Amino acid sequence: MSDNYQFEEKDDPRTWGDELSPDCEGKEPEIPQEEWDVTVLEYLGELKNLIDACGNVSYFWNMRNFTKAGVNKAKMIAAAYQHDVRYYDEQLREWRVKAKRSFVVLKTLAGKLGYDMPGQRVLLNDLTLSKDKRDAYKAYLKTCEKNRVSISFDELEAKYHKRILKRSRKR
């Protein structure tokens, strides 16, 4: 090879200049990023905390009751972690307090965003007793965080009912 060796594609007019052609610059179209409101982020985070707290309340409530009743699987899990009924009672109390605290914070943040909240007892019981609802709400929240939008409880509940309706039609 000589020092003045050059390779050019003379048949493509896009390569005649010194710049890259527009289709090979590798730029993706930019999605306009609006200012992410801190209140919305706090709202979504606190809603996730509430869902997690209700899930833990459900777990410790069930473990306490199953351990008391002598269910073999619960007894094996409790023995493996060296837990007793008293431990599950304490954890249950702590997580109930955390769930109520999350509800109060969430209600304040929802008020700032102009959203209505269901009653405390109703919401906490619904989320504690229904794993399916907790999982659905978490999936909706993940989508909201990805798309940078907030969602009210009415919209969450409407989406959940739509999900249940679709599920019943498949059967």
Side-chain angles (χ1 to χ4, degrees), residues 17-119:
D18 291 333
E19 71 279 347
L20 293 174
S21 65
D23 63 336
C24 58
E25 290 178 358
K27 289 184 180 178
E28 294 181 11
E30 291 186 25
I31 300 170
Q33 296 292 327
E34 59 203 32
E35 188 62 35
W36 182 240
D37 189 10
V38 176
T39 307
V40 173
L41 186 60
E42 289 174 342
Y43 171 77
L44 294 176
E46 199 59 44
L47 182 53
K48 187 175 183 301
N49 289 343
L50 177 68
I51 293 167
D52 290 340
C54 289
N56 283 318
V57 167
S58 176
Y59 171 77
F60 288 113
W61 185 82
N62 285 320
M63 284 301 292
R64 181 193 66 180
N65 290 338
F66 292 153
T67 305
K68 276 183 183 178
V71 175
N72 282 336
K73 189 171 183 177
K75 285 184 352 187
M76 288 176 16
I77 292 170
Y81 292 104
Q82 299 174 355
H83 294 159
D84 56 357
V85 176
R86 193 179 113 240
Y87 169 80
Y88 292 118
D89 279 335
E90 290 171 3
Q91 290 297 315
L92 179 60
R93 253 184 270 117
E94 284 182 33
W95 281 105
R96 280 181 175 162
V97 169
K98 289 177 183 179
K100 288 177 183 176
R101 180 205 142 300
S102 285
F103 179 85
V104 171
V105 172
L106 187 63
K107 188 172 184 173
T108 304
L109 293 170
K112 287 181 182 179
L113 295 172
Y115 297 150
D116 291 329
M117 291 280 294

Side-chain angles (χ1 to χ4, degrees), residues 119-141:
Q120 180 179 359
R121 179 174 227 143
V122 171
L123 180 63
L124 294 180
N125 284 341
D126 281 351
L127 289 176
T128 300
L129 297 175
S130 176
K131 181 174 176 16
D132 185 49
K133 187 175 271 195
R134 288 193 306 266
D135 292 343
Y137 279 16
K138 274 187 168 183
Y140 302 145
L141 289 178

